[in-house]
């Protein structure tokens, strides 16, 4: 009887052991150790201040601060793993090697059990450079149009110069900072937020990851004003357009009108833009001339030409040599003024005057002798005699006569004395 009891106990123990072994076999088959990739985990750089305190900055080579992990653990553990269960760091103070590599450390911070972690790269590649600070010009770009037939006036950024700090190789590439704001439908003066973009000399944006500047992660405000519009004519002063001895046969310009903008009080009295004489033909050229004139530089303060395409006017001129016609004026055709009492002009003994009149052929063709007025002032001559007297000659507009003309005049005692 005793033997049977022990035999049953032994069988029971053997059964329990067999069950445990079988359970272990099943568990290892169903929850075996496997692997799972976790890709593009960002490496956190620590102790960067070790460089900044020495006036240096660290720039990470693109892509080298991303690492792929391969985690080995049981399937039940792998299923619930996530990237945040791992801390991936590179310590600038402790693990900088050869001046350009920082060792990557991976730590598991979860509460499960894992076998091991393999990583796709061992180091972050870095470039250590001098840290510099530069002031960069801020340029405003606008999009959209104001409402109510208005145009954009001034667009003033909250800072016209932006202080940027960063690695010298990056800062040296910055040409300007641009801020774009939407001004669609605005009236009056408004403040609009925009985002800053640093640009290189080719107009391409610059990555600001390693740069420090105001407005990098916040809005950058721009104050925008609107102006009224008005279309006006253009008037050129041609008094200095042609050199001596030449005349202006024809002049035309395109466009003939321009749209200006300003406050209502400034633009209301303007009907023509008066362009000064020095704007035309400053080099004194002759013949057929085509000249571009930037009329925007002759605007009064507070007035603008909003369309950049209208800043320049194309002026066409035909500058030709003047023609000349000589007229002989007899003493009897000269008006002698201020003759002293007791004296008179001896007309037969006085000389004739030759007047060369120059001008455009069209103007000369219609000139008559009656339109040439010659006068001489005799107030300085008190005794009879023969004198060379300056004369004044008046001819119609657009015609010219030489300066300094003189005539010989004989004065005698008046016959009634």
């Amino acid at each position: 009887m005793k033997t049977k009891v022990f035999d049953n106990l032994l069988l029971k123990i053997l059964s329990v052991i067999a069950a445990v072994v079988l359970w272990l076999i099943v568990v290892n088959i169903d929850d075996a150790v496997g692997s799972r990739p976790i890709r593009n985990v960002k490496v956190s750089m620590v102790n960067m201040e070790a460089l900044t305190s020495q006036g240096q900055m660290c720039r990470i080579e693109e892509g080298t601060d991303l690492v792929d992990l391969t985690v080995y653990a049981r399937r039940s553990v792998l299923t619930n793993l996530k990237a945040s269960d791992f801390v991936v760091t590179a310590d600038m103070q402790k693990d900088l090697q050869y001046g350009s590599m920082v060792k990557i450390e991976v730590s598991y911070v979860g509460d499960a059990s894992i076998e091991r972690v393999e990583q796709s790269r061992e180091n972050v590649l870095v470039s250590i450079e001098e840290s510099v600070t530069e002031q960069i010009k801020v340029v405003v770009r606008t999009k959209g149009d104001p409402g109510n037939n208005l145009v954009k006036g001034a667009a003033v950024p909250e800072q016209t110069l932006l202080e940027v700090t960063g690695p010298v190789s990056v800062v040296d590439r910055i040409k300007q900072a641009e801020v774009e704001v939407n001004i669609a439908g605005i009236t009056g003066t408004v403040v609009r937020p925009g985002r800053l973009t640093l640009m290189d000399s080719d107009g391409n944006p610059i990555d600001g990851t390693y740069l420090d500047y105001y407005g990098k992660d916040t809005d950058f405000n721009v104050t925008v004003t609107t102006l009224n519009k008005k279309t006006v004519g253009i008037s050129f002063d041609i008094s200095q357009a042609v050199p001596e001895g030449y005349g202006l046969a024809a002049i035309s310009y395109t466009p003939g009108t321009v749209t200006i903008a300003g406050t209502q009080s400034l633009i209301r009295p303007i009907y023509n833009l008066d362009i000064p004489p020095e704007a035309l033909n400053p080099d004194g050229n002759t013949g057929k001339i085509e000249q571009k004139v930037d009329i925007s530089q002759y605007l009064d303060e507070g007035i603008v030409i909003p369309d950049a395409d209208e800043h320049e006017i194309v002026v066409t001129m035909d500058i030709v040599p003047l023609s000349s016609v000589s007229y002989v004026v007899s003493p009897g055709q000269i008006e002698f003024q201020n003759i002293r009492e007791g004296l008179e002009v001896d007309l037969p003994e006085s000389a004739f005057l030759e007047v060369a009149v120059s001008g455009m052929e069209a103007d000369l063709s219609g000139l008559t002798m009656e339109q040439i007025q010659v006068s001489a002032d005799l107030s300085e001559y008190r005794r009879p005699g023969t004198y060379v007297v300056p004369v004044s000659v008046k001819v119609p507009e657009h015609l010219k006569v030489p300066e300094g003309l003189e005539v010989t005049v004989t004065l005698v005692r008046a016959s009634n004395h």
Side-chain angles (χ1 to χ4, degrees):
M1 188 70 181
K2 187 175 182 181
T3 301
K4 290 181 178 180
V5 171
F6 277 105
D7 286 344
N8 288 336
L9 179 61
L10 181 60
L11 289 173
K12 289 178 181 179
I13 293 172
L14 290 174
S15 297
V16 170
I17 293 172
V20 170
V21 171
L22 182 61
W23 178 81
L24 289 173
I25 292 173
V26 171
V27 166
N28 279 278
I29 292 174
D30 288 345
D31 195 16
V33 173
S35 65
R36 177 188 168 190
I38 300 177
R39 303 192 184 282
N40 294 325
V41 180
K42 185 76 171 178
V43 180
S44 298
M45 304 298 296
V46 297
N47 288 326
M48 297 285 277
E49 62 274 9
L51 292 176
T52 57
S53 63
Q54 302 175 32
Q56 295 178 313
M57 293 192 72
C58 170
R59 183 165 57 86
I60 301 169
E61 297 297 330
E62 186 176 356
T64 67
D65 60 342
L66 296 176
V67 63
D68 295 336
L69 305 179
T70 302
V71 184
Y72 291 86
R74 293 192 177 278
R75 292 177 182 174
S76 58
V77 174
L78 294 175
T79 302
N80 298 317
L81 284 179
K82 49 190 179 296
S84 59
D85 291 328
F86 299 87
V87 174
V88 184
T89 59
D91 193 323
M92 286 295 302
Q93 188 170 25
K94 183 181 73 172
D95 293 325
L96 178 63
Q97 307 172 59
Y98 310 112
S100 62
M101 295 189 299
V102 185
K103 184 179 179 182
I104 298 173
E105 297 285 351
V106 179
S107 300
Y108 174 63
V109 294
D111 54 6
S113 177
I114 62 173
E115 296 285 328
R116 69 183 189 279
V117 179
E118 295 178 354
Q119 58 198 68
S120 61
R121 62 169 56 250
E122 297 296 324
N123 298 288
V124 174
L125 300 181
V126 298
S127 175
I128 298 175
E129 302 179 43
E130 177 189 359
S131 174
V132 296
T133 299
E134 295 288 346
Q135 289 190 323
I136 308 298
K137 180 182 178 181
V138 178
V139 176
V140 177
R141 308 289 185 199
T142 60
K143 63 179 181 179
D145 296 310
N148 299 326
N149 198 34
L150 300 172
V151 296
K152 176 182 73 71
V156 182
E158 59 178 295
Q159 290 182 196
T160 55
L161 290 175
L162 188 70
E163 193 170 86
V164 180
T165 300
V168 62
S169 66
V170 180
V171 174
D172 282 351
R173 291 174 49 220
I174 304 173
K175 179 184 179 182
Q176 64 187 26
E178 293 186 2
V179 55
E180 183 180 75
V181 293
N182 189 345
I183 61 171
I186 69 170
T187 60
T189 299
V190 298
V191 177
R192 285 289 171 92
R195 299 293 292 183
L196 277 172
T197 304
L198 303 178
M199 311 296 290
D200 64 17
S201 57
D202 295 324
N204 300 315
I206 292 176
D207 183 5
T209 302
Y210 302 104
L211 301 175
D212 183 30
Y213 54 91
Y214 172 76
K216 177 178 179 179
D217 301 312
T218 60
D219 287 333
F220 193 86
N221 291 326
V222 177
T223 302
V224 185
T225 59
T226 57
L227 301 173
N228 297 93
K229 293 191 298 184
K230 183 179 182 180
T231 300
V232 298
I234 304 168
S235 176
F236 283 94
D237 185 338
I238 63 171
S239 62
Q240 298 179 23
V242 296
E244 189 69 28
Y246 288 81
L248 187 61
I251 180 171
S252 62
Y253 46 88
T254 303
T257 60
V258 64
T259 299
I260 61 173
T263 62
Q264 197 67 262
S265 60
L266 284 177
I267 66 175
R268 185 183 294 113
I270 299 176
Y271 296 94
N272 279 286
L273 292 185
D274 296 322
I275 309 304
E278 61 267 19
L280 288 182
N281 196 21
D283 297 328
N285 296 320
T286 60
K288 291 188 179 297
I289 301 170
E290 186 177 280
Q291 178 190 351
K292 290 182 178 180
V293 180
D294 183 0
I295 62 174
S296 64
Q297 61 183 306
Y298 303 113
L299 300 173
D300 292 336
E301 185 176 357
I303 299 176
V304 297
I305 299 175
D307 187 346
D309 292 337
E310 292 188 351
H311 284 197
E312 285 190 338
I313 301 297
V314 178
V315 182
T316 303
M317 294 173 284
D318 188 10
I319 299 175
V320 299
L322 294 176
S323 298
S324 181
V325 177
S326 292
Y327 291 83
V328 177
V329 181
S330 69
Q333 293 173 305
I334 299 175
E335 180 186 356
F336 294 106
Q337 302 170 339
N338 302 316
I339 301 175
R340 291 280 182 171
E341 186 177 356
L343 297 176
E344 63 182 12
V345 176
D346 187 344
L347 296 178
E349 293 298 323
S350 297
F352 284 71
L353 173 68
E354 183 177 350
V355 178
V357 184
S358 60
M360 303 298 294
E361 287 189 8
D363 296 324
L364 286 173
S365 63
L367 181 64
T368 64
M369 191 65 196
E370 289 73 21
Q371 294 175 295
I372 303 175
Q373 300 176 6
V374 184
S375 61
D377 184 0
L378 301 179
S379 59
E380 295 184 6
Y381 309 100
R382 303 182 180 184
R383 295 183 177 85
T386 300
Y387 304 97
V388 178
V389 180
V391 296
S392 172
V393 182
K394 292 183 179 179
V395 291
E397 190 178 5
H398 306 308
L399 296 177
K400 297 180 180 179
V401 294
E403 296 181 357
L405 291 177
E406 296 175 325
V407 66
T408 300
V409 178
T410 298
L411 290 177
V412 296
R413 295 192 181 278
S415 55
N416 58 350
H417 282 71

